Amino acid sequence: MLKPLGDRVIIETEKEEEKSVGGIVLADNAKKKPQAGTVVAVGDGRVLDNGTKVSPVVKKGDKVMFDKYAGTEIEDNDKSYLVLHEKDIVAIVE
């Protein structure tokens, strides 16, 4: 498994529906980019200018919502993940 550095978080994104409400199959470019997923790995936290380390707020297993165009998409073991900074996460879904 991948281990993120600093304040980065690895998220497994939720898949979007393949069909619209009317049953029409959507092309890849017509689908909305996912904005929710599950945290699979968390870095150690970020270091402030004064040297203090701030622990991450999210933890493994949290369901989160994040900025639409945030992060970098990567693949590992035939699975697709999103690596982003913790500041790009906008909410934890409870």
Side-chain angles (χ1 to χ4, degrees):
M1 186 59 195
L2 302 169
K3 172 89 171 121
L5 300 176
D7 70 333
R8 288 180 176 82
V9 178
I10 299 178
I11 296 176
E12 186 172 357
T13 56
E14 295 177 357
K15 301 291 181 204
E16 288 292 318
E17 289 288 325
E18 295 285 327
K19 294 182 181 180
S20 68
V21 176
I24 299 171
V25 177
L26 298 173
D28 286 339
N29 59 356
K31 294 179 191 172
K32 292 182 182 175
K33 187 170 176 172
Q35 289 180 268
T38 304
V39 176
V40 294
V42 181
D44 295 331
R46 65 184 172 107
V47 178
L48 300 176
D49 292 336
N50 64 6
T52 307
K53 184 180 272 191
V54 178
S55 298
V57 175
V58 296
K59 61 187 177 306
K60 185 176 179 178
D62 282 349
K63 293 203 179 292
V64 296
M65 297 186 78
F66 47 87
D67 290 334
K68 189 171 192 169
Y69 297 105
T72 303
E73 294 179 7
I74 58 169
E75 287 194 23
D76 184 46
N77 295 331
D78 297 327
K79 285 192 176 182
S80 154
Y81 299 100
L82 186 67
V83 179
L84 49 91
H85 289 276
E86 187 182 31
K87 67 180 179 184
D88 294 327
I89 297 174
V90 295
I92 298 174
V93 181
E94 295 182 343

